[in-house]
Every structure is written in C-alpha cells, then in structure tokens.
C-alpha cells in the first residue's frame, strides 16, 4: 500500500527481464483471434496469512518479499537494507512516498545481485525508508507493469505474460464454458501513477478502486463510504482496530454493511460487510487487498487496459478485528488468549474440489492459499501430502504447523515445530511460534529457551525483535525485554510501532525498577507522538504512573491513573496502581477499594505485582 508523492517520480525504470523462454498458452480463444499469449514466467507465491510472499536472494542471502501491486516502486525499510549490508545513496530530490501511515522520505539502495524466480538480475534499485512490511521488502509496479499479470493465489502462483496480437482477445483463458466472470476497464499504469485502478460501486455510487496485493485487507475510505450513505455512527457499525502503513501513524477502521458492492460488469455482493478507514486513501476510494485476490482469480491485462476476474470461493473480505494499542497490562497480556471474528462474505458458491497433485511445492503453496481463505480442511490435506512426499523438508513441516495453529490444533502444531527444529536447529521462524505454544502450556522455561534461540539467530536489525520484546515482557523477563526494545527502537525510529515500543519499554523499566528516569522519558516520548484524545492511547498514562509510583511521586501517579481511568474505567493496571498509590498516602479504604476492583477484573493481578514488590 504505497503511493508516490505527485511531485517526484523520476527513478530509472527497470528494464524488461526475460525469465523463461516464451511459450504460447493454448486455447481456442487465442487461436481463433490470432492471439499469442506468451508466458514469460510463473512465479511461486507463498501466502503468509493473506500476504503474498515471493522468495528471492539478495547477494546470495535468502529474502522474502511481498508482491505488492499497490506499490509504485520496489521498496525496503532502512533496517532491512542494513541487515543485507546495502549501501544507501540519496534518492531523487523531493521524492517521498505516501501511504496509510503518512509519508516518508526515501533513499535508494542498489542490489548488486538479485536472484529472482531462478534468474540472476544485476544492479536492481530499491527505494529505502518507512516501516517494516513483515518481509524483506516490496516488489512493486516498476516490475509488474512490464507485463500482463495473472494473480492465481489459489494455486500459489503469479504468471507474467507478453501477449502478441491480443488487443481485442478475451484473455481470461482459464474460464470454462458457462463459468461466470467479470471484466472491467482499468487506467493505463502511468496515467494511474503506477497503480492498477478501475471502477467499482458501493450502493450504486461509483468509486475509484485500486487493486493492491500489498494490502492484507480491503478497505473503503470514509469519504467514499459517506457518499454511499454509510455513516460510521449508525447502528450495526463496529470498531475493527487499526491499520498501519509505511509511516508512523495508525489509522482507525470500522466494519459496516453496504446493501451492494460491485466491481467489474458482473461481480456483485449484496449486503456486503466492508472495512472502512477513518481517513482518505491517496489516489483511490478503495483498496481491494490480498483478501480479495485470495478469493478471486485476477488477470491484469496492462496491454489492453482491462482486468478479468472470476470467483474462487470462500470469504471475499477478511473482516477480523485487531487492536494496535495492545493489552492494558503486562499480566493481562501474559494471560490473554487470541481471538478473532470469522470473515463474512457474500453468498457465493463453494470453490472447486481439490484435484490430486504430486508436486510438493505446488501442494504447499495451494495449501497456504486454502488456509488464507480459512479452508483449513483442504489446506491440511494439501500440506500433509507435501510432507508425505518430502518428509525431511523442514519448510513443509513448518507450513503445516502454522495451519494447525491457525485451526486451533496446538498439539499437532507443536509436534511439527519440534520436528522442524530436530531437522534444522537454525530454522529461525520456528522458534517464536513454538515459544508461544509453550507459554500457553505453562512451559515457561521451554518458551524462554526458544526466545533465547531466536535472539541468538536473528539479525540485530530484525523486526522480529519487537515481538521478542513483547514475549519476554509478558513472561516477566524485563531485562531481556528492555534489551530487545533497545535494539528495535535503535533500528526502527520511524516505524508505525514506535509509539507502542516506547510505551512498552517504559512499563518494562517500571516493573524492573531500573532506569526509572529513562522509563519516564519513554512514556513522555510515546505520549508526544499520539493523539492524547484517542482512547486507545490512554494506557500510556497508566504506564507512566507506574514509573511515578516506583519513584514515590504518589500524587502524580494518582493523577495519571485518574486520567487513564476516565476513559478506561476497567483498566485493571490503573485501578491496582492507583490503589497502591492511595495506600501509600494513607488513604487505606479508598486504596483497598481500587485494589479489590482490579482483582475482580484480573484475579491474578495482585500476585503478579506482588512478585515485583508493587504492594500497598
């Protein structure tokens, strides 16, 4: 989800790349019209949830990129560039990049050797800047726009084509007789500022739609929703958490019902539940994200300025909710179990039955695509077949473990992760999920050993360190948490998670009862970066109050706890902390009332804080 600032688009264009000898895709539609649809490459795609990842090598070191049709140019973060020892140079004057989280300035890195889809490419430029994207970076439109692109996420592939003589041909070659399909005009890529943009309709109102595989969930702008008669304060509208982009800002989202959503000439969903952003979207009214691509087969015919789409089956939009603000207390975070709402979609028929496959790579990719659609039964059937065909490959076992975990089968996930790490003790990605399962099983020593292993293996710049910090903190290992936050903050100063990092490090220092002045500065820094009227940030006042409590500044602590409790009256941390502070002021009855209220909300909270000497 990246957009260029209008004033600066001057980077050199990546030259055409020949990956595979051109072949002609057979089909009566092509032969009858003299059209040759030459397939240039078939790129394997791995779905991480709804994020489409493509594996490459940067100077012979493996990296995974998000294939992002919404990014005007390929991009990576500054820490990722440092991780791969890439030298930076200044970008074109005035070039910045805009996204949901704001805008960022950029520099440029040149990858001397990029191995991509089995082919070595020299001297590839990437823009550098902004937040982490959950992978090494983005492969954007400067790569994709050179071809017609078929997004077949249900089979875990993207295909690139160079058509000849196909200007008026029907290019959705996979469509069978009688199968429903939809087509639409799209704007020329350069006219659309290097994006794939067409028209859609919400409640009959025309909207400008961007097809954005880099957006994990589809989202409609607030302004477009309003034009379509959707009001965010109407009954039935629910808060859906926050989205982030390349900048520091977090954007609040909602879920509401539209009587009709339509894209193309024949793809309509009645009573569609849509995610709505609280702000506007640069260059479009709606992003159709990778959740839409997982549920559809999409062919972007840049050569014709058309787009073809058929429905695969399953939910159309991922409507699970999330909260960027995090849990209110360390103790509650340690005990909390994750939950999510199931996605809701229009009334479509179920997808095609899984056919037999003998290629384990293809099976694993298709299995992950089924998992992205939350069709866990077929996902596990494909994954298990891949494991059966190649039982000593840790990658397939890891992928199956993730699907077991998504589907609530933690014991089977743990068994696969154990097997992965028996085969390869350096398999970094397996340690964190195993640690999280072990935490839930009360195997704290085993979980900490896994976090320690991940700490040992991860590059110091890795975004993973933010999650390691959170897990150490939830386990009460505050020194280790602070060390991880230190590394992450040092290397990610403009990331969208920076406010959470400062706030969490502040609380960790309060709990550790060390460097309280530094913790106070952390909370103040976090508060300086947020909208103080936003109720999702008031926990920062409670965190700062814990620092003040440790410093025996009881009046200031009570004032900050009061501020938090005005908005979050059931914040157990603030209630317990205020109760302790009142008791220290010899207001024993009032203090005990707060402590009792906190314990009614979180029965183990007093025991947790007593362990660290926070007592009346």
């Amino acid at each position: 989800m990246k957009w260029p600032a209008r004033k600066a688009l001057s980077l050199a264009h990546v030259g055409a790349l020949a990956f595979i000898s051109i072949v002609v895709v057979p089909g009566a539609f092509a032969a009858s019209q003299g059209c040759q649809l030459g397939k240039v490459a078939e790129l394997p795609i791995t779905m991480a949830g709804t994020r489409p990842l493509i594996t490459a090598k940067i100077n012979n070191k493996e990296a995974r990129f998000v294939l992002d049709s919404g990014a005007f140019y390929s991009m990576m973060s500054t820490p990722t560039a440092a991780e791969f020892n890439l030298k930076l140079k200044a970008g074109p004057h005035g070039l910045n990049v805009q996204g949901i989280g704001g805008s960022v300035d950029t520099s440029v890195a040149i990858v001397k050797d990029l191995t991509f889809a089995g082919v070595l490419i020299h001297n590839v430029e990437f823009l550098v800047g902004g937040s982490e994207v959950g992978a090494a970076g983005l492969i954007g439109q400067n790569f994709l726009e050179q071809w017609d692109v078929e997004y077949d996420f249900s089979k875990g592939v993207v295909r690139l084509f160079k058509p000849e003589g196909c200007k008026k041909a029907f290019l959705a070659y996979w469509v069978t007789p009688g199968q429903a399909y939809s087509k639409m005009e799209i704007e020329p890529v350069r006219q659309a500022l290097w994006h794939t943009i067409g028209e859609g309709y919400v409640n009959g109102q025309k909207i400008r739609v961007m097809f954005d595989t880099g957006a994990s969930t589809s989202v409609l702008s607030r302004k477009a929703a309003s034009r379509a008669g959707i009001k965010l304060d109407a009954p039935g509208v629910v808060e859906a958490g926050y989205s982030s982009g390349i900048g520091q800002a977090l954007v609040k989202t909602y879920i509401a019902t539209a009587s009709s959503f339509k894209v193309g000439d024949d793809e309509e969903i009645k009573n569609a539940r849509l995610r709505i952003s609280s702000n506007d979207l640069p260059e479009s009214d709606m992003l159709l994200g990778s959740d839409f691509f997982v549920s559809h087969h999409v062919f972007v015919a840049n050569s014709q300025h058309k787009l073809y789409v058929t429905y695969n089956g399953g939910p159309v939009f991922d409507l699970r909710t999330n909260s960027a603000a995090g849990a209110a207390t360390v103790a509650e975070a340690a005990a909390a179990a994750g939950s999510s709402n199931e996605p809701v979609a229009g009334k479509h028929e179920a997808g095609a039955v899984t056919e037999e496959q003998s290629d384990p790579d293809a099976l694993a990719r298709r299995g992950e695509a089924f998992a992205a659609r939350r069709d866990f039964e077929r996902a596990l059937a494909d994954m298990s077949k891949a494991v059966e065909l190649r039982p000593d490959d840790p990658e397939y076992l890891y992928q199956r473990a993730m699907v077991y975990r998504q589907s609530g089968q933690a014991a089977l996930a743990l068994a696969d992760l154990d097997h992965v790490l028996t085969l390869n003790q350096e398999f970094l990605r397996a340690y964190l999920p195993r640690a999280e399962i072990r935490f839930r099983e009360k195997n704290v020593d085993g979980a900490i050993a896994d976090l320690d292993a991940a700490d040992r293996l991860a590059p110091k710049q890795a975004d993973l360190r933010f999650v390691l910090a959170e897990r150490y903190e939830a386990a009460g290992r505050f020194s280790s948490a602070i060390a991880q936050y230190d590394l992450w903050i040092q290397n990610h100063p403009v990331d969208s998670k920076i406010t959470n990092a400062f706030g969490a490090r502040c609380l960790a220092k309060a709990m550790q009862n060390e460097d309280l002045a530094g913790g106070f500065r952390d909370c103040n820094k976090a508060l300086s970066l947020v909208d103080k009227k936003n109720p999702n940030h008031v926990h920062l006042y409670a965190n700062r109050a814990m620092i003040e409590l440790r410093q025996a500044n009881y009046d200031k602590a009570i004032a900050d706890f009061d501020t938090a409790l005005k908005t979050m009256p059931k914040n157990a941390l603030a209630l317990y902390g205020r109760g302790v502070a009142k008791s220290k002021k010899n207001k024993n009855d009032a203090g005990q009332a707060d402590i009792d209220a906190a314990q009614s909300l979180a029965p183990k909270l007093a025991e947790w804080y007593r362990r660290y000497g926070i007592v009346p």
Side-chain angles (χ1 to χ4, degrees):
M1 290 187 290
K2 309 294 183 287
W3 297 273
R6 286 183 180 274
K7 64 180 180 180
L9 261 178
S10 59
L11 287 176
H13 181 65
V14 174
L17 307 173
F19 291 94
I20 303 173
S21 298
I22 291 180
V23 298
V24 176
V25 176
F29 78 93
S32 64
Q33 301 179 59
C35 167
Q36 291 187 336
L37 189 57
K39 185 168 70 172
V40 178
E42 183 164 303
L43 310 179
I45 295 293
T46 299
M47 299 302 300
T50 54
R51 303 301 299 277
L53 302 180
I54 184 165
T55 300
K57 287 187 177 181
I58 296 176
N59 298 333
N60 211 35
K61 183 179 178 181
E62 185 171 299
R64 288 183 161 197
F65 290 91
V66 176
L67 192 71
D68 186 354
S69 65
F72 83 107
Y73 211 87
S74 299
M75 192 169 184
M76 66 177 64
S77 71
T78 303
T80 298
E83 180 182 334
F84 286 94
N85 299 313
L86 301 178
K87 294 182 179 180
L88 304 184
K89 65 179 184 180
H93 179 68
L95 178 66
N96 65 0
V97 181
Q98 296 178 329
I100 275 186
S103 63
V104 295
D105 294 327
T106 60
S107 49
V108 175
I110 297 178
V111 176
K112 182 180 178 182
D113 295 320
L114 180 68
T115 305
F116 190 63
V119 171
L120 178 62
I121 312 164
H122 296 297
N123 300 322
V124 179
E125 283 188 344
F126 284 83
L127 292 180
V128 178
S131 297
E132 296 287 353
V133 296
L138 309 171
I139 300 296
Q141 281 289 356
N142 63 312
F143 173 79
L144 294 168
E145 67 88 22
Q146 301 174 76
W147 299 285
D148 286 5
V149 186
E150 179 189 359
Y151 297 91
D152 191 1
F153 285 0
S154 68
K155 292 186 172 61
V157 294
V158 165
R159 302 179 184 93
L160 308 177
F161 294 94
K162 271 292 185 188
E164 293 184 8
C166 301
K167 284 292 184 182
K168 297 183 179 180
F170 175 76
L171 295 185
Y173 65 89
W174 67 90
V175 172
T176 58
Q179 181 181 357
Y181 67 89
S182 185
K183 68 178 184 297
M184 64 186 297
E185 299 287 331
I186 57 174
E187 298 175 11
V189 172
R190 289 171 178 78
Q191 178 183 319
L193 291 179
W194 298 71
H195 300 114
T196 301
I197 291 181
E199 290 181 356
Y201 295 86
V202 176
N203 295 345
Q205 292 291 316
K206 184 166 70 173
I207 60 171
R208 201 161 182 255
V209 172
M210 181 186 298
F211 290 82
D212 183 359
T213 60
S216 58
T217 56
S218 300
V219 61
L220 178 70
S221 75
R222 182 173 190 160
K223 186 181 292 184
S226 178
R227 292 203 313 267
I230 300 172
K231 299 185 181 301
L232 297 186
D233 58 356
V237 176
V238 297
E239 294 185 4
Y242 286 76
S243 296
S244 62
I246 60 169
Q248 290 186 1
L250 298 172
V251 178
K252 192 170 186 178
T253 65
Y254 304 82
I255 292 173
T257 300
S259 59
S260 170
F261 169 75
K262 184 177 180 181
V263 64
D265 58 7
D266 196 32
E267 175 70 359
E268 184 175 13
I269 305 172
K270 298 291 189 181
N271 298 317
R273 296 283 282 170
L274 302 176
R275 186 182 302 271
I276 299 171
S277 170
S278 61
N279 69 345
D280 295 331
L281 302 171
E283 312 304 338
S284 69
D285 296 312
M286 184 175 190
L287 303 180
L288 282 182
S290 57
D291 52 354
F292 180 88
F293 280 78
V294 165
S295 60
H296 292 82
H297 194 152
V298 178
F299 192 103
V300 177
N302 288 313
S303 62
Q304 297 180 334
H305 309 315
K306 286 186 172 63
L307 183 144
Y308 302 84
V309 60
T310 59
Y311 175 66
N312 289 331
V316 173
F317 299 124
D318 183 345
L319 300 177
R320 287 170 288 178
T321 60
N322 65 81
S323 173
T329 76
V330 176
E332 290 163 336
S339 64
S340 63
N341 296 327
E342 288 294 317
V344 181
K347 295 182 178 179
H348 287 294
E349 296 298 322
V353 177
T354 303
E355 67 270 19
E356 191 61 34
Q357 283 269 8
S358 59
D359 178 358
D361 286 339
L363 282 162
R365 293 197 305 271
R366 189 175 66 183
E368 290 198 324
F370 279 130
R373 290 156 57 185
R374 305 188 70 77
D375 186 346
F376 297 125
E377 182 177 356
R378 286 194 283 187
L380 288 168
D382 277 350
M383 292 292 190
S384 295
K385 183 64 175 178
V387 170
E388 178 186 327
L389 292 169
R390 203 174 290 170
D392 294 329
D393 191 319
E395 184 66 38
Y396 299 138
L397 287 160
Y398 170 78
Q399 292 171 348
R400 187 173 68 176
M402 295 302 95
V403 178
Y404 276 137
R405 193 174 179 217
Q406 279 183 276
S407 61
Q409 301 180 71
L412 294 173
L414 184 61
D416 273 353
L417 292 169
D418 287 343
H419 195 180
V420 168
L421 292 167
T422 299
L423 293 169
N424 180 4
Q425 293 183 354
E426 306 294 298
F427 199 103
L428 171 61
R429 284 176 289 143
Y431 281 105
L432 181 60
R434 190 171 74 169
E436 291 171 338
I437 294 172
R438 284 175 161 179
F439 272 130
R440 293 186 184 279
E441 294 184 343
K442 311 301 182 185
N443 180 4
V444 176
D445 290 341
I448 295 297
D450 281 343
L451 296 182
D452 290 345
D455 173 37
R456 174 178 58 83
L457 292 170
K460 67 179 182 179
Q461 305 92 344
D463 191 42
L464 172 66
R465 296 199 176 275
F466 182 90
V467 183
L468 290 177
E470 290 184 316
R471 300 303 179 264
Y472 277 125
E473 190 166 7
R477 304 300 175 96
F478 299 111
S479 292
S480 295
I482 292 166
Q484 296 298 323
Y485 283 127
D486 288 347
L487 277 171
W488 189 89
I489 290 170
Q490 175 186 342
N491 288 288
H492 299 80
V494 297
D495 195 279
S496 61
K497 299 189 293 291
I498 192 68
T499 298
N500 285 348
F502 280 124
R505 189 171 68 174
C506 167
L507 184 57
K509 288 177 178 178
M511 299 301 297
Q512 184 72 4
N513 202 20
E514 292 181 2
D515 188 19
L516 297 178
F520 190 76
R521 288 193 298 271
D522 281 344
C523 269
N524 283 340
K525 180 66 174 177
L527 284 164
S528 74
L529 294 172
V530 301
D531 177 2
K532 296 179 181 60
K533 296 179 181 179
N534 187 329
N536 288 278
H537 297 309
V538 297
H539 70 284
L540 295 171
Y541 287 102
N543 292 2
R544 187 172 69 179
M546 294 302 295
I547 292 281
E548 293 161 335
L549 181 61
R550 287 290 203 185
Q551 293 175 319
N553 295 325
Y554 302 126
D555 289 332
K556 290 182 178 180
I558 291 169
D560 270 346
F561 284 132
D562 285 345
T563 298
L565 288 165
K566 283 179 183 177
T567 305
M568 300 173 63
K570 293 186 178 181
N571 183 310
L573 179 149
L575 283 166
Y576 183 89
R578 189 174 70 176
V580 172
K582 287 179 178 178
S583 296
K584 298 293 186 182
K585 295 280 292 181
N586 294 319
K587 299 178 180 179
N588 295 321
D589 291 344
Q592 191 60 49
D594 276 347
I595 290 171
D596 290 345
Q599 288 188 279
S600 70
L601 295 167
K604 295 182 179 180
L605 192 63
E607 177 187 343
W608 175 266
Y609 284 111
R610 193 176 298 118
R611 190 183 309 170
Y612 303 104
I614 302 174
V615 293

